[in-house]
Amino acid sequence: MSTSPGKTDAPLAGRRAQAARNDEVILEAARAVFLDDPKAPIAAVAERAGVGISALYRRYAGKEDLLRQLCHDGLRRYVAEAEAALAQRDDWAAFAGFLARVVDADVHSLTVHLAGTFTPTEEMGRDAVRANELATALFERARASGRLRPDVVVQDLGLLLEACAAVRVPDAERTGQLRRRQLAVLLAGLSTAPDTDPLPGPPPAAGEFDWRWRRRE
């Protein structure tokens, strides 16, 4: 006797949905745990997520795989926000809006805390190149708008985003408010203004901060 497709597929779909929910919970827990302490054991993630360690290992072979996934997700979010911003017509609004959304997504907290704790994949390398290309395109459009001071370089954006990511208080909503305020202050510093003193020191060079991604033993 044959089994109808509906009866066969429903349990599989249900298991897939549950697996997807478990993965989301695990990633949220991992993000919280490793932002607090990058050296925390993977068992701390399972405990925070409220899942058994076996459920975690079914999805991730180990801590490095989990760290890699977190950072790659953040990189993909950065790329997606940049692509969306490039579709906007107003050059300065696209640039400022992109930075605001990346700050809200807290992408750079992962960069600061987790760089050097895992070996990036080739796909991550390609996505990083793409992210830099998109950010450069947004930066050049902002410069062409006449609202970006001439002595700023695209590498300054990474420092700006890290400065915002460094703002953290126990209340998540208040953290978001303070980061937006910090971003507004920093954007004002990037904007052209009469009688502005030049920025001190040589600007950051391309690749100057890549050392962080070298694996730390």
Side-chain angles (χ1 to χ4, degrees):
M1 182 175 67
S2 63
T3 304
S4 68
K7 291 181 180 179
T8 301
D9 292 347
L12 290 175
R15 286 196 293 270
R16 283 195 294 267
Q18 182 61 48
R21 286 192 292 271
N22 284 346
D23 194 40
E24 184 176 349
V25 169
I26 288 170
L27 288 173
E28 288 178 358
R31 180 184 178 91
V33 166
F34 294 135
L35 284 181
D36 285 341
D37 180 10
K39 296 182 179 180
I42 197 169
V45 176
E47 181 179 359
R48 188 179 183 100
V51 301
I53 193 71
S54 60
L56 194 154
Y57 277 119
R58 279 196 296 271
R59 181 64 181 85
Y60 300 98
K63 179 178 176 179
E64 183 169 344
D65 283 348
L66 192 49
L67 294 172
R68 189 182 294 113
Q69 183 70 49
L70 286 173
C71 280
H72 202 173
D73 285 349
L75 182 56
R76 291 187 183 107
R77 176 68 180 273
Y78 184 97
V79 168
E81 294 296 355
E83 289 175 340
L86 282 172
Q88 299 179 32
R89 292 188 175 182
D90 186 303
D91 294 334
W92 181 260
F95 175 71
F98 160 69
L99 293 175
R101 290 189 296 274
V102 170
V103 166
D104 288 345
D106 199 16
V107 168
H108 277 68
S109 287
L110 296 172
T111 300
V112 172
H113 285 78
L114 303 184
T117 61
F118 63 91
T119 302
T121 63
E122 291 183 3
E123 183 183 4
M124 290 183 72
R126 291 191 295 270
D127 286 343
V129 170
R130 175 65 174 158
N132 184 65
E133 291 172 346
L134 293 168
T136 299
L138 285 166
F139 178 85
E140 293 302 334
R141 281 180 52 180
R143 188 188 295 286
S145 75
R147 294 190 58 181
L148 194 64
R149 56 183 297 159
D151 51 354
V152 173
V153 297
V154 68
Q155 287 78 22
D156 284 310
L157 300 186
L159 297 177
L160 177 151
L161 292 169
E162 288 188 25
C164 291
V167 177
R168 187 180 297 274
V169 295
D171 182 80
E173 182 177 358
R174 182 59 178 151
T175 294
Q177 292 172 346
L178 291 171
R179 286 177 175 173
R180 279 296 190 107
R181 180 181 176 86
Q182 176 78 345
L183 176 61
V185 170
L186 294 172
L187 277 176
L190 293 183
S191 302
T192 55
D195 303 323
T196 300
D197 292 333
L199 293 171
E208 186 168 354
F209 300 100
D210 290 353
W211 62 269
R212 293 183 301 190
W213 291 101
R214 291 195 294 269
R215 182 66 180 270
R216 297 195 296 266
E217 299 299 336

